[in-house]
Amino acid sequence: MQFDWPYALSLLWESDFWRACLTVAQLSISAWLIAGAAGFMLALAKQSSIKPLNWSARLYIWFFRSLPLLVLLMFVYNLPQIFPASGVVLSSPFHAGLIALVISETAYMAEIHRGGIISVPKGQYEAGKALGIPYAGIQRLIIIPQAVRIALPTLGNQFVTIVKLTSLVSVVSLTEILLVGQRLYTQNFLIFETMLAVAFYYILVVTVFDKVLLKLEALLDVTKRKPKPFVLSESDAKEIEALRKQEAAEGEARKAKAQLRPVLKVEDVNKYYGSHHALKHVNLSVKAGDVVSIIGPSGSGKTSLIRTLNGLEAIDSGIILLNGRHFLGQSDDNTDRIDRNQILDIGMVFQSFNLFPHKTVLENILLAPSYHKRGTPEERRILALSLLQKVGMLDHANKYPHQLSGGQQQRVAIARALAMKPSIMLFDEPTSALDPELVNEVLKVLEQLAAEGMTMLIVTHEMRFAFSVSTRVIFMENGSVVHDSTPAELRATNDQRVKEFLHQVTE
Ligand code: ADP
Ligand code: MG
């Protein structure tokens, strides 16, 4: 038997095939998008600590990944025999095919998304939480964009699988590419020629979408973006200057009133990690304008203390007051239930910056004020720019975090925390992740904030800074506050542990 080339080529103009391509594209894209969104929900449910949610998600994924699509499709298509009402939707092969594909693919997509979600560093959730953004907001603004970007190559791969799976829908007589081919060769018996055309059309659909997905991937990849220069307009410059003058005046007024009002009060706080007593009867009071440095050997509980103070870790007993109001402890054992308005009053700067990598510097700063609708968009923008100017990062406003040095990233992180106008700033070793030559630029910003009367609590290993800028230095050891004194007093102490520690870190 001869291969009929003219016939095979004529199939490239066959309108039934092109219509079938459209059907396949519609079915695949719809299934991919719906299953992609539903899969994300399912992935979150599987990650959830709520048991019934977690178990339902596991059950779903286990069941529908085990069930062959063809079997599911026959069930869905024939469902009207048992529930006639469902015939309105399911008697259409397209809808039956779409529903079966979505049900089955959601289970696969959930696992792909879960991979994406767990690849987003924990610090990203914590940065969102420290900015007072609730769970749904953190997912929408911070986690989903990053998780989808990570999962996109695998999601694209799944699209190809879906395109090929649509051929199964021919069994319920959907006129897709395979069925068009089958109808043709049952008439003329030119199986080889027809199947070659069928193969061509599938490959065509996959190739076109592969290209589109690659484009999408490149579009979402911020690491490929060129840094855009930032040009400050004259009117913006004037507004920033006015705002900074106003804030300087407010700062002076604050300083005049300072040293009296307690901003943060920690009373007899205990914290355990399992059986490890990490914070032991900690008492601490920070007044407005205080700059308190926390020093002490590694593992003494400094990070634990800072993290409990803004609700990133729950405390087991004791109480924490913020601006004279109950904030944490006693009644609330669940850190998710703490008052968001109070969280916003505490700015947090992490050792590892935790900037949002998919947002520009300016967007990083604007995220929380926009979410919490502080002022008008224009006011927020001017505030963000003035903060960037304050930390010396205005020229970099349009860059992405990966385009900055560690010191620059940390200065942006400080501006981000300041944007919510907190009454106290917490810092956990803000310079420990930096190269030595970058430490000073961050310390300078801290010194400037201290001079402006900002209330600060800083865990640090920079002794020169701690002893020169702080109003008080706290020495922690084994979960306890051992000393809480002025820098001069601590330097003069006869406590051997402090002397040894200072000797070690300044060596
Ligand atoms: P520091 O910041 O002073 O180095 P940390 O507050 O990080 O100390 O840790 C205090 C102690 O608590 C250490 O012994 C540490 O191993 C323990 N610890 C810290 N975080 C956890 C955790 N999430 N789970 C269990 N133990 C922890
Ligand atoms: Mg630490």
Side-chain angles (χ1 to χ4, degrees):
M1 209 171 86
Q2 281 262 309
F3 188 86
D4 190 343
W5 277 109
Y7 173 70
L9 287 174
S10 77
L11 289 179
L12 300 184
W13 284 270
E14 176 65 49
S15 61
D16 281 353
F17 268 128
W18 286 101
R19 260 196 297 279
C21 280
L22 204 63
T23 306
V24 165
Q26 276 173 338
L27 188 59
S28 311
I29 295 171
S30 313
W32 189 69
L33 289 176
I34 300 171
F40 201 91
M41 300 295 163
L42 196 60
L44 289 180
K46 195 172 172 183
Q47 295 287 93
S48 167
S49 52
I50 305 166
K51 282 262 151 52
L53 211 58
N54 176 290
W55 278 101
S56 320
R58 279 169 192 273
L59 191 70
Y60 184 100
I61 293 170
W62 164 77
F63 185 76
F64 287 107
R65 278 209 309 183
S66 317
L67 194 65
L69 179 64
L70 201 52
V71 178
L72 180 63
L73 183 63
M74 298 312 284
F75 268 113
V76 171
Y77 190 57
N78 291 301
L79 205 60
Q81 290 181 17
I82 308 170
F83 301 109
S86 65
V88 186
V89 178
L90 298 181
S91 57
S92 139
F94 184 89
H95 288 144
L98 178 61
I99 289 171
L101 269 171
V102 165
I103 292 175
S104 164
E105 283 304 310
T106 297
Y108 291 96
M109 294 287 213
E111 288 300 274
I112 297 173
H113 281 309
R114 206 164 60 83
I117 293 169
I118 57 182
S119 311
V120 178
K122 193 162 156 260
Q124 294 288 307
Y125 290 89
E126 295 190 340
K129 228 172 146 186
L131 291 168
I133 300 171
Y135 180 79
I138 293 181
Q139 290 300 332
R140 178 168 61 84
L141 297 168
I142 303 167
I143 307 303
I144 294 181
Q146 295 185 57
V148 168
R149 167 69 196 88
I150 295 166
L152 202 57
T154 329
L155 290 172
N157 205 28
Q158 201 60 23
F159 180 80
V160 176
T161 306
I162 294 176
V163 170
K164 291 189 286 188
L165 283 175
T166 57
S167 63
L168 292 180
V169 190
S170 62
V171 298
V172 296
S173 11
L174 177 74
T175 328
E176 47 64 69
I177 300 170
L178 183 62
L179 192 67
V180 171
Q182 283 170 339
R183 281 184 188 153
L184 286 173
Y185 70 64
T186 44
Q187 288 163 16
N188 57 24
F189 301 107
L190 295 168
I191 298 179
F192 211 77
E193 290 81 347
T194 317
M195 288 317 279
L196 197 66
V198 166
F200 166 80
Y201 284 109
Y202 275 116
I203 291 168
L204 181 73
V205 173
V206 169
T207 309
V208 167
F209 283 100
D210 238 5
K211 284 266 173 294
V212 172
L213 283 168
L214 274 180
K215 275 257 168 345
L216 188 65
E217 241 177 77
L219 207 70
L220 290 179
D221 189 357
V222 295
T223 61
K224 293 214 177 95
R225 291 187 199 165
K226 294 225 160 56
K228 265 193 271 165
F230 177 80
V231 189
L232 186 67
S233 73
E234 244 174 71
S235 63
D236 280 355
K238 275 199 192 113
E239 281 193 58
I240 291 171
E241 203 188 309
L243 181 65
R244 292 196 64 182
K245 267 199 189 126
Q246 182 195 333
E247 288 200 332
E250 281 170 12
E252 286 304 317
R254 245 197 333 263
K255 266 202 283 187
K257 277 194 295 187
Q259 305 302 340
L260 298 168
R261 185 172 54 87
V263 176
L264 191 73
K265 219 164 160 45
V266 179
E267 293 175 359
D268 200 26
V269 160
N270 285 284
K271 161 142 198 82
Y272 292 85
Y273 294 110
S275 61
H276 179 68
H277 199 172
L279 291 177
K280 299 174 184 161
H281 303 282
V282 170
N283 285 287
L284 181 67
S285 172
V286 183
K287 295 195 184 66
D290 269 353
V291 177
V292 180
S293 289
I294 305 177
I295 63 171
S298 176
S300 55
K302 306 180 296 296
T303 296
S304 303
L305 177 59
I306 287 278
R307 288 170 58 83
T308 55
L309 293 182
N310 68 348
L312 288 177
E313 295 279 359
I315 57 178
D316 292 296
S317 70
I319 185 165
I320 298 174
L321 303 173
L322 183 63
N323 289 320
R325 278 174 58 212
H326 175 265
F327 174 41
L328 294 170
Q330 282 180 344
S331 54
D332 48 39
D333 46 1
N334 186 345
T335 55
D336 285 336
R337 259 182 291 159
I338 50 185
D339 184 349
R340 286 222 171 78
N341 284 326
Q342 285 185 300
I343 283 284
L344 293 181
D345 219 9
I346 305 178
M348 173 85 182
V349 175
F350 300 87
Q351 182 175 345
S352 49
F353 333 132
N354 296 347
L355 290 180
F356 306 125
H358 59 302
K359 305 237 172 234
T360 63
V361 164
L362 189 59
E363 288 167 349
N364 262 277
I365 309 224
L366 283 171
L367 188 106
S370 303
Y371 184 87
H372 298 290
K373 303 205 167 54
R374 287 273 176 100
T376 66
E378 185 52 20
E379 283 166 353
R380 294 197 287 262
R381 200 178 63 87
I382 294 297
L383 172 68
L385 293 178
S386 82
L387 289 171
L388 282 176
Q389 193 181 55
K390 183 190 280 215
V391 299
M393 288 296 295
L394 191 54
D395 294 341
H396 306 275
N398 288 335
K399 287 191 180 165
Y400 284 90
H402 75 272
Q403 294 162 339
L404 305 174
S405 74
Q408 292 175 325
Q409 289 192 50
Q410 192 60 301
R411 287 189 276 150
V412 172
I414 293 171
R416 180 176 70 176
L418 289 171
M420 290 313 296
K421 302 195 174 170
S423 53
I424 181 167
M425 289 277 283
L426 308 178
F427 298 82
D428 186 11
E429 301 202 27
T431 58
S432 295
L434 301 177
D435 291 336
E437 75 271 23
L438 302 177
V439 167
N440 273 334
E441 60 184 73
V442 173
L443 291 184
K444 267 204 194 106
V445 171
L446 295 188
E447 274 171 39
Q448 186 192 340
L449 288 178
E452 287 170 9
M454 178 50 105
T455 314
M456 301 196 279
L457 195 55
I458 309 163
V459 175
T460 183
H461 280 299
E462 296 295 327
M463 292 306 137
R464 192 194 54 77
F465 172 84
F467 281 90
S468 64
V469 178
S470 316
T471 48
R472 265 169 42 226
V473 181
I474 284 176
F475 182 79
M476 286 187 76
E477 195 182 42
N478 284 329
S480 302
V481 171
V482 183
H483 287 274
D484 181 347
S485 41
T486 63
E489 281 166 357
L490 194 65
R491 217 195 287 274
T493 182
N494 282 323
D495 188 331
Q496 208 51 39
R497 291 169 300 183
V498 179
K499 279 187 162 170
E500 250 169 50
F501 173 74
L502 291 181
H503 182 68
Q504 272 170 9
V505 290
T506 46
E507 217 164 42

